[in-house]
Amino acid sequence: MRKKIYKILVTGGAGFIGSEFVRQAVKQGHQMVVVDKLTYAGDLARLKSVQGKFVFYKTDIADLQKVMIILKKERPRAIVHFAAESHVDRSILDASEFVYTNIGGTQQLLTASREMGIKRFIHVSTDEVYGEISRGKFKEHFPLNPNSPYSASKASADFLVKAYIHTFGFPAIIVRPSNNYGPWQFPEKFIPVIIYKAIKNQKIPVYAKGLNVREWLHISDCARAVLATLELGQEGEIYNIGSALECKNITLVKMILKILARSQHLITFVKDRPGHDFRYALDSHKIQNNLFWKPHVDFEEGIFQTVQWYQENFTWLERKVKFLENYWKQIYKPTHEGER
Ligand code: NAD
Ligand code: DAU
């Protein structure tokens, strides 16, 4: 069967996962339009390898007029919506941008997409909308029980998408991936934090006792799963995307320290994240059985290659860390510095 080629508009395509999706979709031959506000988290360097193979608009998804102009000009068949404020700790310090983009931006994008008759809309949600789970795994029909301002904003967006499906027959699909890792992740997130600090022989901040559990999924597997939902997914459905690879934070730190031949003395237990979800775990049978997707990247190999990537791209990593240090200093000076 010949593969269908689409014009796809990707929001947040200059972000960590969105850019991997764009890189993969370009390889598949799709025509790509990227819409990204280029917040502190966005960076077109992530799309260097596919330069010239996508159209770019530096635009805020919450700006309905501008989004309408882009949609009228580009006429994409599908929209894949990654754009979001994505960092839990930041949402705890100030939730306003999370409400603005994750809820307001999604609503404006839905309005524009419906008006323009978009044929398929993939909404990228997160496993965090389910809340935490001590035993077992979240299935797609489980109730939403978000705990952080970030996950509350993402859950609100899910409800908006579900309401558009129910009310207007809007052709949307919701995907809920678990924690992603890989190249190009912004070093506010745990894995690049560990790698940077370990390389520099600095203290590694581990919240509480490091016993919290996350399900780690390589970005290449995540982006491939999103492509599968775009091509084969059923309108109105929700698909979990997980690797089933669960790891305690402390185990992850030790793994990376071993790869980099650094001492465990760098591990520093710090004050816990307020309301810190203990464990997430997804049941991903639905996407595996119905869309024939499964993760390919072995966790140990994936982490090893990720560490290597940050070593090889240390200038990028350090530039982002320095930017972040200044950013925190300007915005949240006394408390955050004190805590670390
Ligand atoms: P990211 O923070 O790396 O990228 C987000 C991108 O969105 C950035 O390029 C940013 O510039 C852009 N953006 C933010 N606000 C915008 C706005 N108003 N208009 C246009 N663009 C805007 O995030 P990520 O880690 O790549 O996550 C992508 C999506 O996947 C998010 O929706 C996130 O909630 C979800 N998700 C992430 C993970 C993870 O582990 N990283 C796991 C599950 C789900
Ligand atoms: O589960 C999916 C979610 O994963 C996504 O929806 C979010 O966008 C993404 O940021 C991520 O959220 P987490 O809060 O799980 O990721 P983070 O990398 O911030 O933290 C991972 C774990 O490590 C978490 O238990 C908190 C802990 N941690 C984090 C940092 C930054 C530390 O112990 N120390 C740290 O310095």
Side-chain angles (χ1 to χ4, degrees), residues 85-89 125-128 150 154 177-180 185 187-193 204-208 210 212-216 249 252-253 270 272-273 276-278 280 340:
E85 288 295 334
S86 67
H87 189 42
V88 175
D89 292 321
S125 176
T126 168
D127 60 359
E128 299 200 13
Y150 161 73
K154 293 293 289 185
S178 64
N179 279 65
N180 274 233
Q185 190 166 28
E188 61 190 348
K189 309 284 166 56
F190 196 34
I191 289 184
V193 165
I204 299 165
V206 176
Y207 299 161
N212 299 60
V213 174
R214 294 293 182 268
E215 179 176 346
W216 291 103
N249 291 341
L252 181 61
V253 179
V270 298
D272 203 0
R273 171 186 282 173
H276 196 175
D277 281 340
F278 191 71
Y280 307 127
R340 285 274 158 109

Side-chain angles (χ1 to χ4, degrees), residues 209-225:
K209 291 289 162 216
L211 300 178
N212 299 60
V213 174
R214 294 293 182 268
E215 179 176 346
W216 291 103
L217 174 71
H218 195 270
I219 39 162
S220 62
D221 284 329
C222 182
R224 202 165 38 77

